[in-house]
Amino acid sequence: MSLDLGFWTLQALNALQLSMLLFLLSIGLTVIFGLMHFVNLAHGALYALGAYFAASAAAVGGYWAGFFLAPVAVAGVGVLLYSGLIQRMRKSGPMAQVLVTFGLIFALLDITRIVWGDLALGLEVPDLLAGRVALLGVEYPAYRLFIIALGLAIFGALAFVLSRTQIGAMIRAGVDNDAMAACLGINVERLFFIVFCVGCALAGLAGAVAAPLLSVTPDMGLQILIPTLIVIVIGGLGSLKGAIAGSLIFGFVQTFGAVLAPQLASVLIYALLAAVLVIRPVGLFPAKG
Amino acid sequence: MKRALLAALGLATGFAMPATAQDIKVGLLLPFSGVYAALGNDIEAGFTTALEQFGSETPATFEIVREDTEVKPPVALAKAKKLILQDKVDVISGIVSSGVLGAVRDMVHGAGVPLIVANAGNDEATGEACSPYITRMSFSNGQVNRPMGKWMHDQGIRKVYTLAPDYAAGRQMIDGFVQTFTAAGGEIVGQEFTPFQKTQDFGPYMAQAKSSGAEAVFVFYAGGEAISFVKQYDSFGLKAELPLYGSGFLTSSLYVNAEGPAAEGVITALHYVPTLDNPANAQFVEAFKAKTGRVPSEFAVHGYDAGRALIEAVKAGATDRESLANALRQVSFDGPRGALSIDPATNNIVQPIYVYETIAGTDGLTQKVLAQLPAEADPVNGCEMAAPVSN
Amino acid sequence: MFRHTPLRYGALVLLASAALFQAFTAEYFGLEILTEIVILAMLVIALDMVAGFGGMVSLCHGALLGVGAYGYAILSTKLGLTPVVAMAGAVAITGAVAWVIGAICARSHGIYFIMATLAFGQMGYSYVFEAPLFGGDDGLGGIARLDLSLIGLDLNDGRSFALFSLGVLAAIYGVAVLILRSGLGRSLSGVMHNEQRMRALGLTVWRVKADVFGLSGLISGLAGVMAAQHVMFVSPGLLSWTVSGEALVVVILGGLGTLVGPLLGAAVFVLLKHEVGALTSYWHLVVGILLIAVVMSRANGIFGWIEARFGARIERRAADAVRDIDPREVKTDA
């Protein structure tokens, strides 16, 4: 292990990139929970679907076809899920929701196997983003920088929407107190629907973006689920600030833990989660203090 | 009601007609669902291809019973018990995961049923935990990697950084390489074992490898992790200054195309690649392609050679469990991998290892064989068995 | 608080006779399935205790089973203790671990509690996977079964082991009923219905939760020991969160909070898995759809549905004028 600055810069960029990827996934999940009080364990499966849609689209139209089509396709799946399932389960307790979405995970796992087969698929980075960029004294892959930039852009866009637009205000009102918001004349049902679909679209986008970096396999949804859940629980449910904070914490702990203490790294993140749950169960920046 | 049906079924199979001397019942114990289904399907396809091609060399008929292990040791054990005690198979073949092999080993040994291992590579299965009933037609973790240590040293490489997932197979693979590399005079400048199936971003480890002062990197990864690793290695632009070597599972023909151009130039060692140039392989590749529409992987050839081994054993006169177990320990033939035989001291296969480079071909990525390293029997490693009775 | 109704007694008798019939007539694979059902039933009783009667939905019970299994494996193979001592030790260790988890998580509720237990379960899984002592991914083999030759039982025989497991399950069921009917069980019921009120009454709520979780851990540990003896092999997969998830599925499928329902759920789940698995390699899809259907139907699982449809009728017929009725059993809108 060296004390060379370039090494640490590299690792910091790695941590940032991992954080942004998790942010794309967790923001959808946390706002869905914050607004609808609905735990969607199948979020990871939607991410996997996004990756598969992107791989199929890219085989025909190149990377960018996948990049734009995957979120739309997954949002479409979200529409189906919402009208068929979620709407009815919204008022049920957390256990029923956990179980229904658990069942969804199982079902979607086999559906991806049936439609796309068991073999792993690959997706190539677009030529525009292939290669490396010299940055802060290191050569860093352009595609990873793209992920960082995309994550920050989405964060910025969502922050703007949530704080400066009317629909953002309505969402925040709904998160604070949906019954009261409905009394004020806000169409809370429609809001939930929009939020759910946008959440699904973001999960699909995360899948499409992650696909060239990782591999597209049937169990990728299961693998990303636990990190995503950890992120939103540490960060705090329902808020944008919580999602970005949780993602950054996870990304940096995971990356630097792997470098400094690899044997402990996997236990470390769970210990951190347990600590947060015990000391501050609602997370660091929950939507409702 | 269901239970009564099950009970009745059980009784019925118990009274089923015993197999005649020329009917061999084979149990295929493989994962057919879940993440490893692709491997299970490939092995099965290879096995049935072998039975189709060589079945005519003996008057015996073969009946196959498939059972899904789900790569879960308790499930696999229950299915193994079913195959042995209820279906009364004469021989079992399959087993993808070393964990599953560990679970069924005692049962198979105790019941005296021959098992032809068609993948699981843990060194102990033909070492301390060896059994006269367990014959391995696939590979052992050390066997695939030991030749590479010496070969890389012969190429002039002196300092290597290793990476592998942190589980038994990962450690055994790297140990095999490290043993011979350091014995030849090389130096391991750093080693890292990444959390198994939990690491998706290898960036941190690659950065470490880069700053370690190594001349080359030797890794073992398989499946999804291999795809991620190879692509990420390329994206960091490390291949030029820090060439990537590894165990052939890194660029297995089963999924190398998912790695794309990132895999080009990676040099690995494995006991089989589909581009091997010998008549047996040409025949095998053609038959496999016709059957499944894809090029065979090393997993397919495990199944193929397992089937062939069974047929050779039957040709030598074996008819029941004991004689099959005995005959299987003595098979040798020329297969797609070259000249193969079983070393009766460990019951592990003895086979040549091929060093190959992944290059772009006309129809996706293909493998260019750089060297064929001589076949070596595994060290005995704690295995104590009586010699087989000659055929 | 748990009460036996005529319907529940009837179901128990039915299940017991079916199990005994199977144990005495089935061939080897049938016995394997029976033992698998019985061991799963032990785990889901433990889970129903905390989830159905305590409102604490746990995703770490699979890990607790794993702790029991590995505890037995290490104590008997690596430390060379006799099976009886190793069994007792493993069960005690699991109970202690569960007590600690219960105590730490006592302040969390709802989804946070689920997440907390998930975190602990995964910690256990990661630790066992990576510690070389536990054999890592390849697992530990050579585990011996209990030696009951003193009373003439050879547990290495499939049938004897199945019957032994049934006996253990019956004992566990009895213990669970005793716990749920005791003062602790009543306190638990109070905590589930209104925690604040119980605290106001002076109850140390976290201790009640921890105690029940610990007792549930003892049962899970015993299930783990039986699992280790059954397969005579342990691997880290036992501690994976998907095992806990499957246990939860079984409890829901059978009927949360009925104690008898999960027994039925275990049988249905295992048989379904095997039947569907024999037909197609896509049985995850079938189980997933079934689970969604069961949960969305608002019935409390199979047994809950039976109780709702028929239980009230039978109850009324057998009821005494003086007996106070548990509101849960009269509800028909589940």
Side-chain angles (χ1 to χ4, degrees), chain B residues 185-204:
Chain B
E187 183 194 340
I188 303 289
V189 293
Q191 278 198 313
E192 208 50 81
F193 291 96
T194 60
F196 179 49
Q197 283 183 344
K198 267 188 259 140
T199 315
Q200 302 188 309
D201 188 356
F202 295 98

Side-chain angles (χ1 to χ4, degrees), chain A:
Chain A
M1 203 175 55
S2 68
L3 299 169
D4 140 51
L5 188 63
F7 174 74
W8 295 106
T9 318
L10 200 59
Q11 300 296 29
L13 285 170
N14 280 330
L16 199 57
Q17 173 254 308
L18 179 62
S19 307
M20 288 303 118
L21 193 61
L22 282 171
F23 170 70
L24 284 176
L25 264 173
S26 57
I27 184 64
L29 190 55
T30 197
V31 177
I32 290 175
F33 182 83
L35 186 60
M36 299 166 58
H37 302 290
F38 186 85
V39 179
N40 183 16
L41 283 185
H43 210 70
L46 292 169
Y47 156 85
L49 265 183
Y52 272 101
F53 279 129
S56 295
V60 178
Y63 173 82
W64 297 106
F67 182 82
F68 288 106
L69 263 163
V72 174
V74 178
V77 173
V79 170
L80 284 171
L81 284 177
Y82 188 83
S83 32
L85 216 60
I86 312 290
Q87 209 166 19
R88 276 174 240 192
M89 298 306 300
R90 260 205 333 107
K91 301 287 177 174
S92 316
M95 186 161 57
Q97 294 169 1
V98 161
L99 287 159
V100 161
T101 49
F102 199 75
L104 255 183
I105 295 178
F106 272 6
L108 284 171
L109 180 73
D110 265 353
I111 289 178
T112 48
R113 275 185 64 211
I114 293 174
V115 176
W116 282 282
D118 287 310
L119 296 172
L121 297 179
L123 185 55
E124 288 315 312
V125 170
D127 290 328
L128 181 67
L129 296 168
R132 286 154 293 288
V133 172
L135 179 71
L136 298 175
V138 295
E139 292 233 323
Y140 199 65
Y143 189 71
R144 290 185 178 224
L145 285 174
F146 169 66
I147 294 179
I148 295 176
L150 183 68
L152 290 171
I154 302 250
F155 174 68
L158 287 173
F160 180 78
V161 166
L162 279 175
S163 57
R164 296 287 153 99
T165 65
Q166 187 172 39
I167 196 165
M170 292 202 287
I171 291 175
R172 276 183 293 129
V175 171
D176 267 351
N177 192 330
D178 57 325
M180 189 60 85
C183 288
L184 289 174
I186 296 176
N187 189 341
V188 182
E189 274 304 317
R190 196 157 58 105
L191 213 56
F192 290 171
F193 179 65
I194 294 175
V195 164
F196 187 77
C197 292
V198 170
C200 292
L202 283 170
L205 182 66
V209 162
L213 202 62
L214 317 172
S215 53
V216 184
T217 54
D219 64 337
M220 64 190 295
L222 274 174
Q223 286 186 337
I224 202 79
L225 181 63
I226 305 263
T228 314
L229 289 174
I230 294 178
V231 163
I232 64 172
V233 173
I234 291 182
L237 285 155
S239 77
L240 189 61
K241 201 155 61 150
I244 195 85
S247 311
L248 284 170
I249 291 176
F250 186 95
F252 276 83
V253 169
Q254 182 83 310
T255 307
F256 284 97
V259 170
L260 297 170
Q263 307 311 345
L264 282 180
S266 35
V267 183
L268 193 65
I269 198 71
Y270 291 112
L272 183 63
L273 174 67
V276 168
L277 281 167
V278 172
I279 299 172
R280 198 174 146 79
V282 291
L284 294 172
F285 302 107
K288 303 196 220 193

Side-chain angles (χ1 to χ4, degrees), chain C:
Chain C
M1 182 54 201
F2 174 74
R3 287 173 63 252
H4 274 123
T5 63
L7 185 61
R8 288 180 182 182
Y9 273 129
L12 277 176
V13 167
L14 205 68
L15 286 171
S17 19
L20 283 170
F21 176 73
Q22 176 75 345
F24 283 109
T25 60
E27 273 295 303
Y28 302 94
F29 195 49
L31 287 173
E32 284 301 303
I33 295 193
L34 179 65
T35 318
E36 194 183 325
I37 293 176
V38 167
I39 294 178
L40 181 61
M42 292 181 204
L43 183 66
V44 295
I45 286 184
L47 185 56
D48 197 20
M49 249 176 75
V50 295
F53 293 91
M56 302 186 271
V57 178
S58 155
L59 272 182
C60 73
H61 268 65
L64 290 174
L65 178 132
V67 168
Y70 265 92
Y72 180 73
I74 301 284
L75 288 174
S76 61
T77 59
K78 297 258 167 116
L79 292 181
L81 298 173
T82 60
V84 182
V85 177
M87 277 175 81
V91 169
I93 292 174
T94 315
V97 168
W99 193 91
V100 170
I101 294 179
I104 296 180
C105 298
R107 293 199 332 154
S108 317
H109 300 89
I111 185 64
Y112 301 100
F113 183 84
I114 300 176
M115 288 296 306
T117 53
L118 178 64
F120 280 105
Q122 283 299 99
M123 264 200 282
Y125 174 67
S126 306
Y127 181 65
V128 166
F129 197 90
E130 275 151 40
L133 172 69
F134 298 117
D137 187 50
D138 274 352
L140 287 174
I143 299 175
R145 291 185 178 175
L146 190 58
D147 181 11
L148 286 182
S149 48
L150 284 176
I151 52 177
L153 262 181
D154 175 23
L155 285 182
N156 283 313
D157 165 43
R159 198 180 308 284
S160 308
F161 192 78
L163 287 168
F164 176 65
S165 315
L166 265 176
V168 173
L169 176 64
I172 285 179
Y173 181 81
V175 167
V177 171
L178 276 172
I179 294 174
L180 288 168
R181 289 230 195 116
S182 70
L184 182 64
R186 290 167 195 262
S187 304
L188 182 70
S189 175
V191 166
M192 177 167 80
H193 284 114
N194 194 326
E195 194 169 314
Q196 259 179 329
R197 190 185 296 168
M198 296 305 286
R199 208 173 272 128
L201 288 174
L203 189 73
T204 319
V205 171
W206 76 263
R207 228 206 335 240
V208 168
K209 286 187 174 180
D211 285 346
V212 175
F213 217 81
L215 288 168
S216 171
L218 287 177
I219 298 178
S220 308
L222 185 54
V225 168
M226 295 304 292
Q229 290 191 357
H230 178 215
V231 183
M232 293 160 105
F233 183 82
V234 287
S235 58
L238 285 173
L239 290 109
S240 157
W241 69 278
T242 45
V243 174
S244 306
E246 280 185 3
L248 202 55
V249 168
V250 169
V251 171
I252 299 302
L253 200 62
L256 191 68
T258 59
L259 211 61
V260 177
L263 296 174
L264 183 64
V268 170
F269 184 74
V270 171
L271 287 173
L272 198 70
K273 231 174 43 154
H274 281 277
E275 294 306 308
V276 176
L279 291 172
T280 163
S281 73
Y282 297 116
W283 55 268
H284 279 114
L285 182 61
V286 176
V287 173
I289 292 178
L290 181 68
L291 179 61
I292 294 175
V294 166
V295 177
M296 282 188 54
S297 72
R298 303 293 178 126
N300 187 15
I302 299 174
F303 194 70
W305 181 81
I306 293 176
E307 278 196 326
R309 281 294 297 276
F310 308 109
R313 244 184 282 159
I314 299 179
E315 174 82 15
R316 247 173 279 140
R317 252 185 248 156
D320 225 26
V322 201
R323 197 194 297 190
D324 58 338
I325 301 201
D326 183 326
R328 253 210 305 235
E329 278 160 345
V330 186
K331 258 206 286 223
T332 47
D333 60 324

Side-chain angles (χ1 to χ4, degrees), chain B residues 288-312:
Chain B
F288 193 83
K289 260 203 212 168
K291 188 191 251 276
T292 63
R294 56 178 189 272
V295 167
S297 64
E298 63 274 21
F299 307 103
V301 87
H302 295 159
Y304 186 73
D305 285 336
R308 175 85 186 273
L310 178 61
I311 291 180
E312 293 295 316

Side-chain angles (χ1 to χ4, degrees), chain B residues 26-388:
Chain B
V26 185
L28 270 185
L29 200 55
L30 290 165
F32 291 113
S33 66
V35 189
Y36 287 92
L39 273 69
N41 289 327
D42 246 25
I43 295 175
E44 187 195 15
F47 193 85
T48 47
T49 308
L51 289 185
E52 284 160 21
Q53 279 196 333
F54 302 104
S56 50
E57 292 178 13
T58 145
T61 55
F62 297 91
E63 186 196 331
I64 296 183
V65 182
R66 303 159 91 238
E67 287 297 344
D68 182 3
T69 65
E70 298 171 36
V71 195
K72 291 190 189 145
V75 175
L77 187 62
K79 302 280 171 78
K81 283 192 189 173
K82 170 184 177 283
L83 287 172
I84 294 175
L85 300 171
Q86 191 163 304
D87 296 318
K88 301 207 194 301
V89 297
D90 300 300
V91 60
I92 300 183
S93 184
I95 315 276
V96 161
S97 117
S98 301
V100 164
L101 183 55
V104 305
R105 185 250 173 222
D106 285 339
M107 165 92 224
V108 160
H109 179 78
V113 177
L115 168 65
I116 311 175
V117 178
N119 194 61
N122 57 332
D123 290 331
E124 311 82 62
T126 49
E128 310 134 7
C130 69
S131 155
Y133 297 98
I134 299 182
T135 322
R136 179 145 62 186
M137 285 303 293
S138 52
F139 64 93
S140 73
N141 294 336
Q143 179 185 49
V144 174
N145 294 289
R146 276 191 295 266
M148 200 50 169
K150 184 163 177 310
W151 186 84
M152 277 174 70
H153 189 264
D154 290 343
Q155 306 303 309
I157 300 171
R158 294 288 174 268
K159 295 190 187 180
V160 166
Y161 188 93
T162 70
L163 278 171
D166 193 0
Y167 73 124
R171 291 188 174 263
Q172 287 174 6
M173 298 254 177
I174 298 294
D175 280 345
F177 169 79
V178 166
Q179 235 176 49
T180 50
F181 186 68
T182 47
E187 183 194 340
I188 303 289
V189 293
Q191 278 198 313
E192 208 50 81
F193 291 96
T194 60
F196 179 49
Q197 283 183 344
K198 267 188 259 140
T199 315
Q200 302 188 309
D201 188 356
F202 295 98
Y205 304 98
M206 293 179 191
Q208 272 189 306
K210 189 160 157 217
S211 61
S212 68
E215 295 165 11
V217 170
F218 181 84
V219 310
F220 161 70
Y221 282 101
E225 288 191 314
I227 301 175
S228 305
F229 186 87
V230 170
K231 291 175 83 167
Q232 291 174 23
Y233 199 85
D234 185 45
S235 77
F236 276 95
L238 293 170
K239 266 196 301 196
E241 27 171 291
L242 199 56
L244 180 61
Y245 297 83
S247 182
F249 300 101
L250 191 68
T251 48
S252 159
S253 55
L254 190 61
Y255 40 81
V256 71
N257 280 310
E259 296 171 4
E264 286 173 31
V266 178
I267 298 180
T268 55
L270 200 61
H271 49 294
Y272 176 79
V273 285
T275 51
L276 289 177
D277 191 10
N278 63 65
N281 192 33
Q283 192 187 22
F284 170 53
V285 172
E286 197 189 311
F288 193 83
K289 260 203 212 168
K291 188 191 251 276
T292 63
R294 56 178 189 272
V295 167
S297 64
E298 63 274 21
F299 307 103
V301 87
H302 295 159
Y304 186 73
D305 285 336
R308 175 85 186 273
L310 178 61
I311 291 180
E312 293 295 316
V314 171
K315 271 162 67 176
T319 50
D320 63 357
R321 290 173 176 179
E322 277 302 320
S323 52
L324 274 169
N326 193 48
L328 280 166
R329 293 177 68 185
Q330 301 170 70
V331 293
S332 70
F333 52 84
D334 283 346
R337 297 183 248 180
L340 305 173
S341 64
I342 298 285
D343 173 15
T346 57
N347 275 2
N348 197 29
I349 192 169
V350 182
Q351 58 186 338
I353 302 292
Y354 300 92
V355 182
Y356 68 94
E357 182 184 345
T358 306
I359 57 174
T362 46
D363 194 19
L365 291 166
T366 182
Q367 298 79 23
K368 177 171 130 196
V369 178
L370 299 176
Q372 176 176 338
L373 304 174
E376 278 168 23
D378 270 0
V380 170
N381 209 12
C383 178
E384 286 167 10
M385 282 192 301

